[in-house]
Amino acid sequence: MHQVPTVVWSSTVVELLGIGILGANSWIANAAVIPAINECPHAMLAASGARSGPRSYTDVLSDPDVDAVYIALANGEHLEWVERAAEAGKHVLCEKPLAVSSREARRMFAACDAAGVVLAEAYMTPFHPLSIAIATLITARELGEIRHITSHFTFPLARPEAGTEINYRWLPEQGGGALLDVGIYCLDPVQKILGSDELRIEAQVVSADTGIDLTTSAWLRNSSTASASVLMSFELPENQSLVIDGTAGSLRVDRPFTPGTDGSIFQVARPDGRCDEYRVEGANCYALMIEAFVASVRGSKPWPRSGAEVLSTIELCESIANAGRAVT
């Protein structure tokens, strides 16, 4: 008989959500998500499975204490294990990007819908107070009419050495490449402002000898007066930056996509020469993401990023990749 811990939640005794890990040896699971699960008062780490270890992925899916799984596997493995988790009746929090193609993403959502389980993409940035503060300014039209967005996420990825295991990010068959790896960070704020329909796209791709994109740059514009430039790279110096230029102010923020617990500062330059400075408290966005996932599974709040939004970003990545191939 398995004894499941309980917690008092809003004066009601509620079982903790048991979360299992598929990919327990991954860096992101150990550095961020497992600590976030342990920090969450409404969840518990129920089981961990690794490719080489005492417990397999199948063991985790068959564990009765596991209500949901966090999938931290290579991108090319997401489809198989999302479908197998759904078949086992487990809710799914899957590392971003959810899928390597829109076709695979649709299969995942269909499988989870048929099984009656939640499928959520583990994209943590929107949960942070910095992202919320920026979104609030835009919604309140504090920047006026948006004319351009510049969004960069670049860092040098260590090249594989002979005789060592190759990081999946270098392998096209595993959904590697800069666009899939960090594209969501650059493109999500762009889509929120430009929309996703009738975008004109120009792109340039620099490929590695393994076949993945080392650097992808793109220029996008919508049918009105807004445009965007995005840059994702595994070969350029580390840089995270977001600039949103509007008629009433230009917002500039460094490290917008992986803000931490120390707090953030960003500036808005005004047409009259003033510069407004905004200070935002820090937070563990992974812990906030786990809380939101638990609430979604329990039915108290919907997962904030809809399946349509996830699909839209994946489709935009496909369009950018196609535009880049067209000019090579």
Side-chain angles (χ1 to χ4, degrees):
M1 176 72 70
H2 293 273
Q3 197 69 27
V4 179
T6 59
V7 64
V8 176
W9 191 0
S10 301
S11 303
T12 303
V13 175
V14 178
E15 287 186 354
L16 295 180
L17 185 75
I19 301 178
I21 308 295
L22 303 187
N25 292 332
S26 77
W27 178 87
I28 191 65
N30 287 279
V33 176
I34 291 175
I37 293 170
N38 291 331
E39 183 179 326
C40 178
H42 307 124
M44 68 172 187
L45 182 62
S48 294
R51 186 165 47 239
S52 57
R55 302 197 73 182
S56 69
Y57 305 152
T58 303
D59 292 334
V60 173
L61 293 181
S62 63
D63 191 325
D65 286 345
V66 172
D67 306 301
V69 292
Y70 164 65
I71 297 177
L73 305 176
N75 301 335
E77 299 179 69
H78 289 180
L79 174 62
E80 175 186 356
W81 290 100
V82 167
E83 290 185 329
R84 292 180 68 168
E87 185 180 2
K90 311 299 185 183
H91 302 280
V92 180
L93 177 65
C94 183
E95 191 51 58
K96 60 83 194 157
L98 178 68
V100 300
S101 70
S102 56
R103 179 187 62 82
E104 289 196 359
R106 290 188 181 90
R107 279 184 56 178
M108 294 178 194
F109 281 113
C112 290
D113 288 344
V117 297
V118 170
L119 174 57
E121 184 179 45
Y123 170 42
M124 78 298 180
T125 304
F127 295 98
H128 197 277
L130 175 62
S131 299
I132 295 170
I134 293 171
T136 299
L137 281 179
I138 293 169
T139 301
R141 298 182 62 81
E142 287 288 327
L143 302 181
E145 296 290 333
I146 306 299
R147 295 291 185 246
H148 191 73
I149 308 123
T150 306
S151 187
H152 292 181
F153 197 144
T154 64
F155 65 96
L157 180 67
R159 290 182 176 272
E161 297 181 4
T164 62
E165 184 177 359
I166 298 178
N167 186 318
Y168 75 87
R169 291 174 177 84
W170 289 101
L171 302 173
E173 66 270 21
Q174 287 290 3
L179 177 59
L180 275 179
D181 192 57
V182 295
I184 186 173
Y185 299 106
C186 293
L187 295 173
D188 182 53
V190 168
Q191 287 185 286
K192 282 182 167 58
I193 295 171
L194 267 65
S196 301
D197 298 329
E198 299 181 8
L199 290 178
R200 292 186 182 181
I201 300 171
E202 297 177 17
Q204 181 74 40
V205 175
V206 176
S207 298
D209 53 11
T210 63
I212 59 101
D213 65 302
L214 275 176
T215 296
T216 293
S217 56
W219 185 83
L220 308 89
R221 62 165 294 180
N222 63 13
S223 57
S224 58
T225 57
S227 60
S229 56
V230 296
L231 175 66
M232 295 76 61
S233 179
F234 283 166
E235 61 177 348
L236 300 179
E238 183 171 357
N239 176 35
Q240 286 187 39
S241 59
L242 178 66
V243 179
I244 304 175
D245 293 311
T247 56
S250 292
L251 180 151
R252 284 165 169 77
V253 56
D254 292 322
R255 204 159 192 87
F257 308 125
T258 59
T261 58
D262 294 335
S264 302
I265 300 173
F266 66 90
Q267 292 81 32
V268 176
R270 301 296 182 182
D272 62 4
R274 290 181 298 114
C275 186
D276 297 330
E277 186 172 90
Y278 295 80
R279 295 178 180 269
V280 181
E281 64 181 2
N284 182 341
C285 50
Y286 289 96
L288 295 171
M289 178 181 71
I290 294 298
E291 278 285 342
F293 181 62
V294 173
S296 178
V297 169
R298 297 301 189 204
S300 57
K301 287 184 180 179
W303 184 251
R305 186 169 164 82
S306 70
E309 289 178 284
V310 174
L311 280 169
S312 179
T313 300
I314 294 172
E315 289 170 345
L316 182 53
C317 286
E318 292 174 329
S319 296
I320 290 172
N322 290 335
R325 281 192 288 268
V327 299
T328 57

